Amino acid sequence: MIILLSKFNELYYWKIEILRSLWINYDKGGFQLIIFLILLTVLSPVFAIPFLIIFLFMVEPKYKVYVMIMLSVSLGVILFQIVPNETMDLYRYYKIIDTFREISFNPLLLFNNSDPITYGLMYLVSKTYNNHFLPFISIILFYFLYYKAINELLCIYNLEKKYYNKAIFFILSIVIIIGTGTGVRFSLAIAMFMNGIVAYIKGKNKMIPFLWFIMSILSHITMFIPFVLYMICILLKNKPKKIVYVIWGCILMTPSLVLNILMLLSKVPFLNDLLVKFNSYFTPYNPGGNWFLFRVVIFILNLILLIKSQKYINDHKIKSVILLENFIAIIAIVYLPYYYISIRFINIFNNLIIFVMIYNWKNKSNNNYINLILLCTFILFSSYQVILFLEQDYGLVSGLRWFGTIFDLLK
């Protein structure tokens, strides 16, 4: 054991010396740095995580996406090890994957449910020898799609590097890694929806946004509601009067009316699951605990930012997003007693607020308040993040094996 620790210390010192050298020259040799980080990630993915996070903030914007992908791979290695318990969605997904392995492929198996894209991903995983590839692949896809949307928006507004770093800080703070990697469907759907919004803002091809939105809905049917609301927001030529929001809130306060509307929508085959889910969710429930409180606190802070940003509601590039966030906020507030409904829209709202943040950065507005939101999100969510990692069952993987190669971890 002493010899092993000695060897590890030598390896650690060697890596620190190389990183110190790269720290000085990273801007001159960005490509060389990326190659080194790839090697570090392959050789010791978990050990690489702190260094990848450091360089994620240091490198120029054009290199950040590569570091983000490597970071997602390293996180995927950890998620690959998780043994899900019966309360986790991942446990149910593994059973679905096992079922796919036992039967011959039939496309109707995917399209008979409301989320064919994410179930299609499960089918692809069933063709491998290990179910654990699902969280590994899903976290990589999620971070790539999420950063892609934010990066493109930052490029549209031609913002400085410091705002790229703030956006990355937001991503690292807001994303609950365990929940994202094991829940799979909802997180991927939100990331696709964000890409649809960015594609619409870019406005180069009218079909691209709809393709993203359709993919989002086919990944998780709940995204059908934000999609419809966003389409309405785009069509609205004038700022809605307060009475519109009041009426919207009153409609939502009548669950029977909402269910009747969903009943009409359920005649569309793939929307039937939407009715089933919402019908089961219309049961008052409050989970209590710090985590629910944390998310509500961040929601309130983001809601205040949205209120502060209403002055931009007539700016065409952000108008539809602000309107969408207004409507989603009302859903989240009205349905607070119905946890399973409210929390989904709080999550959507908290993720989409980055668009409002970026627009404020573009206009040099509310910077100090946004910094406060970022700091609070990091403190509250990170504390829960650590708890989640410590609670997981990682099977027979020992502490020392974390420093094995990625190939060994994926056996």
Side-chain angles (χ1 to χ4, degrees), residues 179-287:
T180 300
T182 61
V184 181
R185 295 157 54 236
F186 193 52
S187 300
L188 282 175
I190 290 176
M192 292 175 186
F193 192 85
M194 292 172 71
N195 276 274
I197 291 176
V198 173
Y200 176 77
I201 292 172
K202 290 172 72 173
K204 292 183 178 179
N205 188 320
K206 293 183 179 180
M207 287 301 300
I208 298 299
F210 287 99
L211 288 176
W212 280 114
F213 291 138
I214 291 170
M215 284 176 18
S216 174
I217 295 168
L218 295 181
S219 295
H220 199 288
I221 192 60
T222 302
M223 298 309 296
F224 177 77
I225 294 175
F227 167 70
V228 171
L229 291 174
Y230 190 60
M231 292 300 101
I232 293 172
C233 293
I234 288 173
L235 295 174
L236 288 174
K237 294 183 179 179
N238 300 314
K239 173 185 173 181
K241 296 181 180 180
K242 293 181 181 178
I243 188 64
V244 174
Y245 297 120
V246 173
I247 293 172
W248 174 242
C250 290
I251 291 172
L252 294 174
M253 290 175 69
T254 313
S256 58
L257 176 59
V258 174
L259 288 173
N260 284 333
I261 294 172
L262 292 175
M263 185 71 75
L264 293 174
L265 292 175
S266 68
K267 292 180 180 179
V268 180
F270 80 95
L271 293 179
N272 186 57
D273 279 1
L274 187 63
L275 173 65
V276 173
K277 288 180 180 179
F278 273 81
N279 193 24
S280 63
Y281 293 158
F282 271 116
T283 302
Y285 172 66
N286 187 329

Side-chain angles (χ1 to χ4, degrees), residues 66 72 80 109 120 129 158 237 280 282 298 300 307 362 369 390 397:
Y66 304 111
S72 67
F80 184 91
L109 291 173
Y129 54 86
N158 195 29
K237 294 183 179 179
S280 63
F282 271 116
I298 298 304
I300 293 171
I307 293 170
K362 170 184 175 291
Y369 184 72
L390 294 176
V397 179

Side-chain angles (χ1 to χ4, degrees), residues 58-159:
M58 288 179 58
V59 298
E60 293 303 306
K62 63 183 177 180
Y63 296 120
K64 289 184 185 295
V65 65
Y66 304 111
V67 184
M68 179 64 79
I69 291 173
M70 284 182 277
L71 177 61
S72 67
V73 169
S74 295
L75 295 173
V77 169
I78 298 177
L79 293 174
F80 184 91
Q81 302 301 311
I82 289 177
V83 179
N85 58 55
E86 294 181 4
T87 65
M88 299 171 68
D89 288 337
L90 193 61
Y91 184 86
R92 177 166 53 88
Y93 298 156
Y94 281 3
K95 286 189 172 295
I96 293 172
I97 293 171
D98 289 336
T99 301
F100 281 148
R101 280 201 186 94
E102 295 171 359
I103 58 178
S104 57
F105 176 69
N106 184 343
L108 293 178
L109 291 173
L110 303 181
F111 288 94
N112 277 343
N113 64 73
S114 59
D115 309 327
I117 289 182
T118 38
Y119 280 93
L121 178 60
M122 294 176 207
Y123 174 78
L124 292 176
V125 171
S126 73
K127 297 300 147 186
T128 70
Y129 54 86
N130 199 319
N131 293 354
H132 292 256
F133 276 110
L134 179 64
F136 177 79
I137 295 170
S138 66
I139 199 70
I140 296 172
L141 284 174
F142 170 78
Y143 271 111
F144 173 75
L145 293 173
Y146 202 99
Y147 182 74
K148 176 182 178 297
I150 292 175
N151 178 63
E152 288 185 5
L153 192 62
L154 290 163
C155 289
I156 290 172
Y157 298 139
N158 195 29
L159 295 184

Side-chain angles (χ1 to χ4, degrees), residues 303-363:
L303 183 60
I304 294 172
L305 175 63
L306 182 66
I307 293 170
K308 286 174 169 285
S309 304
Q310 295 299 312
K311 60 186 176 182
Y312 299 124
I313 202 166
N314 293 320
D315 294 5
H316 73 280
K317 282 189 176 296
I318 196 64
K319 171 188 171 183
S320 55
V321 176
I322 290 178
L323 289 176
L324 175 62
E325 285 285 75
N326 288 345
F327 287 117
I328 290 177
I330 294 172
I331 297 175
I333 293 169
V334 170
Y335 286 135
L336 269 176
Y338 305 96
Y339 170 79
Y340 292 109
I341 296 176
S342 180
I343 203 62
R344 279 168 170 73
F345 288 94
I346 285 177
N347 287 341
I348 295 171
F349 179 89
N350 284 342
N351 279 282
L352 296 186
I353 202 67
I354 186 61
F355 291 102
V356 180
M357 288 181 178
I358 291 173
Y359 203 77
N360 274 276
W361 291 334
K362 170 184 175 291
N363 291 281

